[in-house]
Amino acid sequence: MNLAMAAIGDLLASGQHRLDRVGIENARREARLLLAAALDRSWGDLVGREEQPVAPETAARFEDFVRRRSRHEPVSRILGRREFWSLDFGLSAATLDPRADSETLIEAVLETVADRDAPLSILDLGCGTGCLLLALLSELPNAKGIGVDLAPLAVATASANAARLGLERRARFRIADWDSGLAGRFDIVVSNPPYIPAAEIATLAPEVVLHDPHLALDGGPDGLAAHRRLARIIPRRLAAGGIAVVEHGDEQGPAAQAIYEAGGLTLRKWRADLGGHWRCLVMARKAAKKTVGKAGTTV
């Protein structure tokens, strides 16, 4: 295509054709998103403007976007951002691309919190972009929180997202191996840990295999390795009366529940995502057992 003479309609048709040819679903929609980004407009602004000419440098930028998408780089990675809970999050090579399914954790927390104005404390274990903690802070105006991640670049990305969203005064992020170096207990603990069985990672969509960090995907041989660690961590970090909400993979719910219950937590409820799959466990600390002393007093 002659980029010096390209119009919006020409670029959309060319982009759609190239994406269709390599099996990209919703190729027309994705071509429109990429062209809107190249033009720095909303995608709705392109409707009815098919004949409008496009500057050669903008057309070249769109061509680069299409080339990258045809190699199965996700649109969110190309644009460097992803919307989650109606908030805009920057991405990096060290962070997962937040999925809509994980918004289930936010819903589960909010429907459990009795007073959204309370000065709650939140811990996000394996924070990635910070999307879980920051989405919760956006809904809980007097809450504060800490997000931890093993990857320095993920912590830097989460910190930048907090600043972009105006939440940096209530959110802190630190590099740590889970709760290493932390002190105290929290009213809310959330986590989206790695839970893909190691042997299954290679079977995932190329958008995931090639572009999501495997450190954030690999859940060990059975996908439950991180849950076993969290089952030892969460009971010592969860305040009395607090809740923990942890994401798990399809069909992992019963096994994950057993792991956490053995660690000292009790299930309050399961929460399904919009697809009807059980997506997260909502848990609390088990009540301390009462024993009766020799004089019949309760200890």
Side-chain angles (χ1 to χ4, degrees), residues 236-250:
R236 68 176 179 248
R237 294 297 167 211
L238 190 61
I243 59 165
V245 182
V246 180
E247 184 167 336
H248 58 76
D250 293 348

Side-chain angles (χ1 to χ4, degrees), residues 34-116:
L34 294 174
L35 182 54
L39 289 163
D40 196 23
R41 297 180 184 175
S42 71
W43 71 272
D45 287 343
L46 307 188
V47 177
R49 299 187 179 184
E50 286 78 7
E51 302 301 321
Q52 181 176 316
V54 176
E57 59 272 20
T58 302
R61 186 181 182 202
F62 172 68
E63 288 288 304
D64 179 59
F65 286 172
V66 171
R67 186 181 307 109
R68 291 167 64 182
R69 185 67 187 105
S70 67
R71 296 171 180 166
H72 295 278
E73 184 175 353
V75 170
S76 55
R77 297 282 180 190
I78 295 169
L79 305 185
R81 64 182 187 271
R82 163 71 78 175
E83 182 180 293
F84 180 88
W85 201 253
S86 299
L87 301 172
D88 193 47
F89 288 89
L91 307 178
S92 69
T95 64
L96 281 179
D97 185 346
R99 270 69 165 177
D101 287 345
S102 295
E103 293 184 349
T104 306
L105 279 72
I106 309 302
E107 295 168 350
V109 171
L110 295 178
E111 66 189 21
T112 306
V113 170
D115 180 5
R116 294 194 183 185

Side-chain angles (χ1 to χ4, degrees), residues 128-209:
T129 61
C131 64
L132 296 181
L133 174 58
L134 297 173
L136 287 171
L137 293 181
S138 75
E139 297 284 352
L140 304 170
N142 296 310
K144 295 182 179 180
I146 298 174
V148 298
D149 202 287
L150 190 59
L153 181 56
V155 170
T157 303
S159 297
N161 284 328
R164 185 182 301 109
L165 296 169
L167 295 168
E168 69 274 20
R169 292 187 178 182
R170 295 194 286 131
R172 291 189 292 122
F173 295 94
R174 56 179 292 171
I175 303 165
D177 184 6
W178 297 116
D179 71 333
S180 176
L182 282 181
R185 294 178 181 269
F186 298 81
D187 299 306
I188 300 168
V189 178
V190 292
S191 184
N192 178 14
Y195 56 72
I196 307 297
E200 295 181 13
I201 291 176
T203 69
L204 300 176
E207 284 81 356
V208 176
V209 177

Side-chain angles (χ1 to χ4, degrees), residues 235 238 240 257-267 283-289:
L238 190 61
Q257 177 186 351
I259 289 169
Y260 287 108
E261 289 184 338
L265 298 172
T266 185
L267 181 71
M283 300 170 288
R285 287 168 56 190
K286 287 182 179 178
K289 291 183 179 180

